[in-house]
Amino acid sequence: VPGVDLTLTKAAPGTSHTLNIASDNTNLKAAIGAYVTAYNSVVGTLKSTSSYNSTTRTASALTGDSLVRTVQQQLREQVSGNVLALKDLGVTVSKEGVMSFDATSFDQAIAADPAAFAAVLARLTMNAPAFSLRGGTREILRGIIARGLGLR
């Protein structure tokens, strides 16, 4: 069985034993949860650093910045293009753009149909280049930081 190490230390002729092998999805579940947390953190930071408070008539450091809008748009496209696959993993997105992860739905999806779940992961993996920011993200983020710090 691939991925399983079995060490037998003693023979017992005439004795039968049962060996149960189960998958451990703990790391995958943690990775999806970490992705959701990171996504929400980035979206929240972009929103708070580019918002405008109409009550106090105060602009944030990056209000109206085109680089911020570009990153926000790319994140929205990334999620909207994969919303069904994400939902199959237990990830949903509210109308406000906040992502949430339902570990119970994740566990139920794997238990109900492991092959279908693996197919969802394969689709997301095959679409990995599309499931990332485009256009020199590092440079875009550096520009956003520089503008926010008043360096440009």
Side-chain angles (χ1 to χ4, degrees):
V1 178
V4 175
D5 292 323
L6 185 61
T7 304
L8 303 173
T9 58
K10 181 175 141 184
T15 304
S16 65
H17 296 278
T18 302
L19 175 64
N20 294 317
I21 299 174
S23 61
D24 181 4
N25 299 309
T26 306
N27 290 338
L28 179 57
K29 191 185 313 187
I32 293 171
Y35 174 81
V36 168
T37 299
Y39 177 89
N40 287 335
S41 177
V42 168
V43 168
T45 299
L46 289 172
K47 183 176 180 180
S48 68
T49 59
S50 64
S51 64
Y52 178 78
N53 185 326
S54 60
T55 305
T56 63
R57 297 181 181 183
T58 306
S60 297
L62 300 173
T63 298
D65 191 288
S66 64
L67 291 175
V68 173
R69 288 192 310 271
T70 297
V71 172
Q72 288 172 322
Q73 181 61 34
Q74 288 181 6
L75 287 170
R76 280 191 288 274
E77 288 172 3
Q78 181 183 91
V79 171
S80 65
N82 293 289
V83 72
L84 295 176
L86 290 170
K87 186 174 183 200
D88 289 342
L89 297 176
V91 176
T92 56
V93 182
S94 72
K95 63 183 177 181
E96 293 80 23
V98 176
M99 217 179 248
S100 60
F101 176 54
D102 183 352
T104 302
S105 293
F106 171 89
D107 291 335
Q108 289 171 347
I110 288 178
D113 192 348
F117 194 84
V120 168
L121 288 175
R123 264 195 323 274
L124 284 174
T125 302
M126 289 176 57
N127 292 333
F131 205 67
S132 62
L133 298 176
R134 301 179 312 274
T137 304
R138 179 176 293 147
E139 287 73 27
I140 291 171
L141 293 175
R142 282 184 183 156
I144 291 170
I145 291 167
R147 289 176 189 199
L149 297 175
L151 301 175
R152 282 193 183 179

